[in-house]
Amino acid sequence: MKIISSLVALLFSQSSISCPALIGTWKSSKEMSMDYNIQLTNIQQKQIDFLSQILGHLLITYTENEIIEHEVAAIKVKVNSKESDFIFKKTISKYTITSCSENTIKLRYKHPYAGKVKTSVTFIDDNTFWISNNLPNVTMREYFTRVSK
C-alpha cells in the first residue's frame, strides 16, 4: 500500500511541473552574453572580437507555435581587418516543445537557413534565458531578456 501511495504522489508531483513562460519578445543581451563568453578557456580572441560586434542586436518573438527572428538593420563588422555588413533577416519557423522542466524548455524546429535545429532554452528567471550556440571548438551562450509578454 505504501508503494502505491508513493507512486501516486510521485505521479502528481511530476505533472505539476510546468514549462517556463517563453511566449513574448526577447532581445539579445550583449553584456550578459559577453560576461559569460569571455570566461571560456578555449575561446579565441578573434571569436571574442566577432561576438562583441554581433551580440545584443537579435530580437526574437515566440508565439504559441512560431519563432520569429526580427529583421535588424545591417551592422558593420570587422573580421581580419575587413569590414562587411552583418544582416539579420526576418525568419519565421514553426516549433515544437519536445520537453520541459522547471527552468528549461527543449525545442525542435526547422530554420530557413540553419535547417533542423534542436535547442534548449535555459531560464535564469522569468525574464532572462540563455541558449547555446556552437562556434569552432567552443560552445558559447547568448542571453536574452524579455521585452514584452
Side-chain angles (χ1 to χ4, degrees), residues 54-66:
I54 64 164
L55 293 173
H57 298 279
L58 185 58
L59 191 67
I60 300 177
T61 298
Y62 290 90
T63 68
E64 289 287 334
N65 61 358
E66 291 182 330

PDB file of all heavy atoms in Angstrom, residues 54-66:
ATOM      1  N   ILE A  54      28.401  41.320 -32.836  1.00  0.00           N
ATOM      2  CA  ILE A  54      27.085  40.864 -33.291  1.00  0.00           C
ATOM      3  C   ILE A  54      26.074  40.632 -32.168  1.00  0.00           C
ATOM      4  O   ILE A  54      24.874  40.672 -32.404  1.00  0.00           O
ATOM      5  CB  ILE A  54      27.184  39.590 -34.158  1.00  0.00           C
ATOM      6  CG1 ILE A  54      27.720  38.412 -33.350  1.00  0.00           C
ATOM      7  CG2 ILE A  54      28.008  39.849 -35.407  1.00  0.00           C
ATOM      8  CD1 ILE A  54      27.488  37.066 -34.002  1.00  0.00           C
ATOM      9  N   LEU A  55      26.546  40.370 -30.946  1.00  0.00           N
ATOM     10  CA  LEU A  55      25.608  40.118 -29.854  1.00  0.00           C
ATOM     11  C   LEU A  55      24.913  41.402 -29.427  1.00  0.00           C
ATOM     12  O   LEU A  55      25.480  42.490 -29.521  1.00  0.00           O
ATOM     13  CB  LEU A  55      26.329  39.485 -28.659  1.00  0.00           C
ATOM     14  CG  LEU A  55      26.854  38.076 -28.889  1.00  0.00           C
ATOM     15  CD1 LEU A  55      27.683  37.620 -27.698  1.00  0.00           C
ATOM     16  CD2 LEU A  55      25.727  37.100 -29.161  1.00  0.00           C
ATOM     17  N   GLY A  56      23.672  41.263 -28.973  1.00  0.00           N
ATOM     18  CA  GLY A  56      22.916  42.417 -28.496  1.00  0.00           C
ATOM     19  C   GLY A  56      21.985  43.020 -29.526  1.00  0.00           C
ATOM     20  O   GLY A  56      21.289  43.995 -29.239  1.00  0.00           O
ATOM     21  N   HIS A  57      21.936  42.440 -30.710  1.00  0.00           N
ATOM     22  CA  HIS A  57      21.089  43.000 -31.773  1.00  0.00           C
ATOM     23  C   HIS A  57      19.827  42.184 -32.039  1.00  0.00           C
ATOM     24  O   HIS A  57      18.802  42.740 -32.415  1.00  0.00           O
ATOM     25  CB  HIS A  57      21.883  43.120 -33.081  1.00  0.00           C
ATOM     26  CG  HIS A  57      23.048  44.037 -32.980  1.00  0.00           C
ATOM     27  ND1 HIS A  57      22.932  45.406 -33.086  1.00  0.00           N
ATOM     28  CD2 HIS A  57      24.365  43.792 -32.770  1.00  0.00           C
ATOM     29  CE1 HIS A  57      24.124  45.962 -32.948  1.00  0.00           C
ATOM     30  NE2 HIS A  57      25.009  45.005 -32.759  1.00  0.00           N
ATOM     31  N   LEU A  58      19.910  40.878 -31.872  1.00  0.00           N
ATOM     32  CA  LEU A  58      18.818  39.986 -32.261  1.00  0.00           C
ATOM     33  C   LEU A  58      17.581  40.170 -31.383  1.00  0.00           C
ATOM     34  O   LEU A  58      17.678  40.252 -30.166  1.00  0.00           O
ATOM     35  CB  LEU A  58      19.288  38.532 -32.187  1.00  0.00           C
ATOM     36  CG  LEU A  58      18.320  37.457 -32.678  1.00  0.00           C
ATOM     37  CD1 LEU A  58      17.915  37.698 -34.131  1.00  0.00           C
ATOM     38  CD2 LEU A  58      18.950  36.081 -32.523  1.00  0.00           C
ATOM     39  N   LEU A  59      16.437  40.221 -32.039  1.00  0.00           N
ATOM     40  CA  LEU A  59      15.140  40.330 -31.374  1.00  0.00           C
ATOM     41  C   LEU A  59      14.313  39.132 -31.829  1.00  0.00           C
ATOM     42  O   LEU A  59      14.146  38.901 -33.034  1.00  0.00           O
ATOM     43  CB  LEU A  59      14.461  41.642 -31.771  1.00  0.00           C
ATOM     44  CG  LEU A  59      13.230  42.068 -30.995  1.00  0.00           C
ATOM     45  CD1 LEU A  59      13.589  42.404 -29.545  1.00  0.00           C
ATOM     46  CD2 LEU A  59      12.581  43.272 -31.659  1.00  0.00           C
ATOM     47  N   ILE A  60      13.813  38.343 -30.871  1.00  0.00           N
ATOM     48  CA  ILE A  60      13.053  37.133 -31.172  1.00  0.00           C
ATOM     49  C   ILE A  60      11.690  37.198 -30.487  1.00  0.00           C
ATOM     50  O   ILE A  60      11.607  37.575 -29.323  1.00  0.00           O
ATOM     51  CB  ILE A  60      13.793  35.873 -30.663  1.00  0.00           C
ATOM     52  CG1 ILE A  60      15.158  35.728 -31.316  1.00  0.00           C
ATOM     53  CG2 ILE A  60      12.954  34.622 -30.903  1.00  0.00           C
ATOM     54  CD1 ILE A  60      15.959  34.548 -30.810  1.00  0.00           C
ATOM     55  N   THR A  61      10.652  36.804 -31.222  1.00  0.00           N
ATOM     56  CA  THR A  61       9.326  36.669 -30.635  1.00  0.00           C
ATOM     57  C   THR A  61       8.913  35.204 -30.704  1.00  0.00           C
ATOM     58  O   THR A  61       9.026  34.571 -31.762  1.00  0.00           O
ATOM     59  CB  THR A  61       8.285  37.528 -31.379  1.00  0.00           C
ATOM     60  OG1 THR A  61       8.660  38.906 -31.265  1.00  0.00           O
ATOM     61  CG2 THR A  61       6.888  37.339 -30.802  1.00  0.00           C
ATOM     62  N   TYR A  62       8.464  34.682 -29.567  1.00  0.00           N
ATOM     63  CA  TYR A  62       7.902  33.335 -29.502  1.00  0.00           C
ATOM     64  C   TYR A  62       6.393  33.472 -29.358  1.00  0.00           C
ATOM     65  O   TYR A  62       5.919  34.173 -28.467  1.00  0.00           O
ATOM     66  CB  TYR A  62       8.454  32.563 -28.298  1.00  0.00           C
ATOM     67  CG  TYR A  62       9.905  32.187 -28.421  1.00  0.00           C
ATOM     68  CD1 TYR A  62      10.905  33.038 -27.964  1.00  0.00           C
ATOM     69  CD2 TYR A  62      10.285  30.973 -28.993  1.00  0.00           C
ATOM     70  CE1 TYR A  62      12.239  32.693 -28.080  1.00  0.00           C
ATOM     71  CE2 TYR A  62      11.624  30.625 -29.103  1.00  0.00           C
ATOM     72  CZ  TYR A  62      12.594  31.488 -28.646  1.00  0.00           C
ATOM     73  OH  TYR A  62      13.921  31.149 -28.757  1.00  0.00           O
ATOM     74  N   THR A  63       5.654  32.820 -30.264  1.00  0.00           N
ATOM     75  CA  THR A  63       4.207  32.734 -30.145  1.00  0.00           C
ATOM     76  C   THR A  63       3.883  31.316 -29.661  1.00  0.00           C
ATOM     77  O   THR A  63       4.787  30.574 -29.294  1.00  0.00           O
ATOM     78  CB  THR A  63       3.516  33.020 -31.498  1.00  0.00           C
ATOM     79  OG1 THR A  63       3.802  31.944 -32.405  1.00  0.00           O
ATOM     80  CG2 THR A  63       3.954  34.350 -32.086  1.00  0.00           C
ATOM     81  N   GLU A  64       2.623  30.938 -29.723  1.00  0.00           N
ATOM     82  CA  GLU A  64       2.229  29.587 -29.302  1.00  0.00           C
ATOM     83  C   GLU A  64       2.970  28.503 -30.083  1.00  0.00           C
ATOM     84  O   GLU A  64       3.251  27.437 -29.560  1.00  0.00           O
ATOM     85  CB  GLU A  64       0.722  29.382 -29.469  1.00  0.00           C
ATOM     86  CG  GLU A  64      -0.114  30.157 -28.493  1.00  0.00           C
ATOM     87  CD  GLU A  64      -0.060  29.596 -27.081  1.00  0.00           C
ATOM     88  OE1 GLU A  64       0.202  28.396 -26.909  1.00  0.00           O
ATOM     89  OE2 GLU A  64      -0.284  30.376 -26.141  1.00  0.00           O
ATOM     90  N   ASN A  65       3.279  28.774 -31.374  1.00  0.00           N
ATOM     91  CA  ASN A  65       3.916  27.739 -32.185  1.00  0.00           C
ATOM     92  C   ASN A  65       4.939  28.254 -33.196  1.00  0.00           C
ATOM     93  O   ASN A  65       5.372  27.505 -34.056  1.00  0.00           O
ATOM     94  CB  ASN A  65       2.844  26.915 -32.914  1.00  0.00           C
ATOM     95  CG  ASN A  65       2.011  27.758 -33.857  1.00  0.00           C
ATOM     96  OD1 ASN A  65       2.192  28.963 -33.966  1.00  0.00           O
ATOM     97  ND2 ASN A  65       1.080  27.119 -34.540  1.00  0.00           N
ATOM     98  N   GLU A  66       5.313  29.520 -33.104  1.00  0.00           N
ATOM     99  CA  GLU A  66       6.293  30.077 -34.044  1.00  0.00           C
ATOM    100  C   GLU A  66       7.400  30.845 -33.333  1.00  0.00           C
ATOM    101  O   GLU A  66       7.175  31.448 -32.289  1.00  0.00           O
ATOM    102  CB  GLU A  66       5.624  31.039 -35.035  1.00  0.00           C
ATOM    103  CG  GLU A  66       4.712  30.374 -36.024  1.00  0.00           C
ATOM    104  CD  GLU A  66       4.110  31.365 -37.010  1.00  0.00           C
ATOM    105  OE1 GLU A  66       3.915  32.545 -36.662  1.00  0.00           O
ATOM    106  OE2 GLU A  66       3.831  30.939 -38.142  1.00  0.00           O
TER     107      GLU A  66
END
